[in-house]
Amino acid sequence: MKVPFLDFVGPYEELKAELDEAYFRFMRSAWYVLGKEVEAFEQEFAAYCGVKHCIGVGNGLEALYLILRAYGIGKGDEVIVPSNTYIATWLAVSYTDAVPVPVECNPRTFNLDPDRIAAAITPKTKAIMPVHLYGQPADMDPINTIARKHGLKVIEDNAQAQGARYKGRRTGSLGDAAGNSFYPGKNLGAYGDAGAVTTDDAALADRIRTLRNYGSKKKYYNEVKGYNSRLDELQAAFLRVKLKKMDAWNDRRRAIAARYQDVWRGQPSLVTPSVPDWAEPVWHLFVVRHPQRDRLQQTLTEAGIGTMIHYPVPPHLSGAYADGGWSRGNFPIAENLAETVLSLPMGPHLTPELAGNVISEVNRAVQILKEPILGIPA
């Protein structure tokens, strides 16, 4: 029985009537840019996250970039980022001409380690950008405490964690502002690129609304040198439909993750994610670690189990940052994760039968490899 890594058909089949109606509503509206659908989604997603403002933009990378730009962060400034993340987090900083300053993560939770941040702060530091990686919230209280002490902004990269909670509060509401991605594979996924900024900062929200629309509040009157980064009306209409289902779909993800955890907890050759008591993840990805990751992936592929690696190259070793002066060994935790992580099938339309097949084939593959957990830091 083959198991795809991600099911894109199931969500449409479940919501076909509502999604089709949203499409025809959009087509009949005769208003296709920054109209009622975007306005309604912004209100609904702000209420969902528990913030005062949501500004729809083109994608998650631009959401992060526009926050930095609106806060005046740029050339000569530094922004603390995780060493272990998707490169978009770093790129948002680079696009402002500021410098991303990597800090290692906690290898058990995959998220930015608050205990390592203080040592990376310099007089040039302007912000900290924690990532709620794989759908699990970062430890935000100590991060915010450090930021307040040093007068820094906290910008959440919430691309993978819509609906997650930290001590009862939604991600996207835990810093000064947050960048959200609605890329199709995300928990709240559009049918194309889409993103949003969430914040309680009214002045920031006003600046980003201006920047996203050519620097204009009134057509043809351009106050600043802005951009074209606007959430598409059609995508907003689709996102409004999916937002109503997201909590239920996240609960399905949690059930699959709990089943995986129950089976593999204590497994000596397979490390599963560690979830702190204060965290309520939404399991955008279920990421395990194994010392023979590549062989494990190959064995699962041969058995028809779809997997992916998030991420095989840490940003500091990528060609994009070859000019940063980093080399192998600078960030050993991120490097070890890049060599050992493997994402297993996860999603709200992964049936119990298919999840059972994933479990059986992983167990079989682990037995074949029979490798102790040497080389993976605790």
Side-chain angles (χ1 to χ4, degrees), residues 290-308:
H290 192 279
Q292 295 188 79
R293 186 270 312 285
D294 292 344
R295 288 185 60 198
L296 175 61
Q297 183 179 41
Q298 181 181 354
T299 303
L300 292 174
T301 298
E302 292 169 354
I305 306 298
T307 63
M308 292 189 70

Side-chain angles (χ1 to χ4, degrees), residues 243-364:
L243 181 59
K244 296 174 183 177
K245 293 291 294 187
M246 190 162 63
D247 282 343
W249 284 3
N250 283 342
D251 283 343
R252 295 184 201 172
R253 291 174 179 269
R254 291 187 180 103
I256 296 166
R259 188 175 175 189
Y260 284 168
Q261 294 276 43
D262 287 345
V263 170
W264 295 319
R265 186 176 289 111
Q267 163 66 253
S269 57
L270 197 72
V271 179
T272 57
S274 177
V275 181
D277 292 340
W278 41 256
E280 296 178 47
V282 290
W283 300 104
H284 170 60
L285 298 169
F286 191 91
V287 179
V288 297
R289 296 182 337 188
H290 192 279
Q292 295 188 79
R293 186 270 312 285
D294 292 344
R295 288 185 60 198
L296 175 61
Q297 183 179 41
Q298 181 181 354
T299 303
L300 292 174
T301 298
E302 292 169 354
I305 306 298
T307 63
M308 292 189 70
I309 299 171
H310 297 89
Y311 300 97
V313 181
H316 73 281
L317 296 181
S318 68
Y321 285 95
D323 59 351
W326 295 294
S327 59
R328 186 167 295 278
N330 287 152
F331 300 99
I333 295 176
E335 293 164 20
N336 183 271
L337 291 173
E339 294 170 354
T340 60
V341 294
L342 186 66
S343 301
L344 301 178
M346 168 58 70
H349 296 85
L350 184 68
T351 66
E353 182 181 18
L354 291 176
N357 198 50
V358 172
I359 291 169
S360 296
E361 293 299 339
V362 169
N363 287 341
R364 185 179 71 86

Side-chain angles (χ1 to χ4, degrees), residues 144-155:
N144 282 321
T145 297
I146 294 167
R148 285 193 297 269
K149 179 180 178 181
H150 294 274
L152 309 177
K153 296 296 183 182
V154 175
I155 301 166

